[in-house]
Amino acid sequence: ALARRPVAAAARRVAGRWDRAGARSGAEIGFDTAVLLDAVGRQQEIEELAGSGTSLLTVTEPTETATAAAFGHTAVLAGKPGNRAPLEEAGRLFGRLAHLLDAVEDLVEDAETGAWNPITATGADLAEVRRLCDDAAHGVRLALEDVDFACKRSGRLAHVLLAHELPRAVDRAFGTTSCTHTGQTGHTGQTGQADGAPESSQGTPPPQSPWVTPQGPDAPGGPGGTPPEPP
């Protein structure tokens, strides 16, 4: 919809009001919303420059930066500064996953309407997109394990929403099923091949987060390796 000029103009006016309201709310809780506004501006520039062969992680970076800042600030609000690093990492990977899943779910419609889609624009292979999604969901769970929650109840809530629901969201987007917490797929996805060991079609995979365990053909059980036999 934003590709249509009248809608884009209206969206900018709405965003301007949100900007002012968000800045006031952010100031009240000590959060600098400038990082979010900067991400929005850079997103448009990145999308205009993206083309075949551009890394998907280049396109998702502004979203990752914004969600990392939002997640990380909750550590400040909770008075637990030690949680900031793992929460920022969980937020960064959550942003990556949200951006990619949105692109997967809109892929067909965007192709029909001619709307910009990062997967189409970069020529990314769906197996590589799936690998990035599985890695991100796995990394969020590992990052949360390093968070010192205020109480068991809040820890359980975060675990249910992020450790359980994110892999399910990946499965829904790709039309597959997986075992809890492992990202192991039980059916073939949209690529027409088993999703257990997708390989990147863009060359060397990007550096992994310290909260993401090594993946690849030699890493059994991971999204990039051969899953173990079920019990």
Side-chain angles (χ1 to χ4, degrees), residues 129-151:
V129 180
R130 177 66 194 244
R131 184 187 70 80
L132 291 173
C133 289
D134 284 336
D135 279 0
H138 184 60
V140 168
R141 181 171 65 88
L142 293 181
L144 289 177
E145 291 178 359
D146 287 345
V147 175
D148 178 24
F149 288 100
C151 63

Side-chain angles (χ1 to χ4, degrees), residues 83-171:
N83 284 343
R84 187 159 194 163
L87 284 173
E88 284 180 345
E89 183 65 4
R92 184 177 69 83
L93 294 171
F94 179 87
R96 175 185 301 180
L97 188 57
H99 197 136
L100 292 177
L101 291 185
D102 183 64
V104 170
E105 291 174 345
D106 292 346
L107 193 57
V108 174
E109 182 179 350
D110 287 347
E112 292 175 349
T113 61
W116 195 90
N117 186 290
I119 298 174
T120 304
T122 61
D125 183 78
L126 274 180
E128 171 67 0
V129 180
R130 177 66 194 244
R131 184 187 70 80
L132 291 173
C133 289
D134 284 336
D135 279 0
H138 184 60
V140 168
R141 181 171 65 88
L142 293 181
L144 289 177
E145 291 178 359
D146 287 345
V147 175
D148 178 24
F149 288 100
C151 63
K152 290 184 178 180
R153 180 177 298 177
S154 60
R156 285 197 299 269
L157 177 60
H159 186 82
V160 168
L161 292 176
L162 298 175
H164 280 275
E165 291 303 320
L166 288 187
R168 292 179 182 177
V170 175
D171 286 331

Side-chain angles (χ1 to χ4, degrees), residues 9-20:
R12 282 193 293 272
R13 289 195 296 272
V14 172
R17 293 197 295 271
W18 287 352
D19 176 9
R20 293 187 293 274

